[in-house]
Amino acid sequence: MFDFVRRIALAAAAPAALLAVTAVPAQAAPGGPAGAAAAAQPTTEQVLMAEVVALTNEQRVANGCGELAVDEELTIASVRQAHYMAATGDFGHIGWRGSTFESRAEAIGYDYVAAENVGWGYSGAAGVMDAWMASPGHRANILNCDVRSFGAGVQRAVNGTYYWAQVFGYR
């Protein structure tokens, strides 16, 4: 399961332009040609994550802060919390086994975590970003000019509801 989440998180870290259709080696069927390739498209969650990254950096630049780098560890922490919320319907900053955004980030090697934003129910990245920017606490996290990196996670629950998370860091 961790490898699956890690692959999603790493794909989300790629710029939106890189999320175009890419060739992925297909498994060769017994007796079939080796090296055949199949086209794979990004998941809806990956596209939404890339959109959150772009919109977050647009807001930061428009408000006098520098763009944030996408950090692999913070992306994994974000994806894990979005996945937890979608799987359980338990919306909030507390995750699996009582984890916090700090403990989730530190567990995968990120020691200078700053803040977390979570959201649910928004069908697109623009909607969740508008809500975060309208909330003083979430807006402050996004526009904290001391923050240098972040990760974004999105997961769709079985009932179709999207759960969103961002984790910000100082390095």
Side-chain angles (χ1 to χ4, degrees), residues 15 17 29 58 76 84 114 117 119 138 146 151:
E58 285 176 20
I76 292 169
Y84 170 80
N117 287 346
H138 295 100
D146 292 332

Side-chain angles (χ1 to χ4, degrees), residues 21-147:
V21 177
T22 57
V24 179
Q27 296 293 329
Q41 294 190 11
T43 66
T44 301
E45 287 85 355
Q46 290 169 330
V47 171
L48 292 171
M49 288 162 61
E51 290 173 1
V52 167
V53 167
L55 291 171
T56 299
N57 278 326
E58 285 176 20
Q59 285 292 336
R60 287 179 58 84
V61 169
N63 287 279
C65 293
E67 287 190 3
L68 295 174
V70 175
D71 182 88
E72 177 182 348
E73 290 136 341
L74 295 178
T75 299
I76 292 169
S78 298
V79 168
R80 285 182 177 175
Q81 183 59 7
H83 178 78
Y84 170 80
M85 293 186 298
T88 64
D90 188 11
F91 172 72
H93 295 283
I94 304 301
W96 187 63
R97 293 188 176 174
S99 67
T100 64
F101 70 91
E102 294 101 336
S103 66
R104 287 188 294 275
E106 290 171 358
I108 52 179
Y110 195 97
D111 295 329
Y112 300 99
V113 66
E116 177 182 64
N117 287 346
V118 294
W120 72 277
Y122 301 95
S123 61
V128 75
M129 283 301 299
D130 288 346
W132 283 335
M133 292 305 290
S135 163
H138 295 100
R139 179 184 179 90
N141 291 341
I142 292 168
L143 300 181
N144 178 348
C145 293
D146 292 332
V147 168

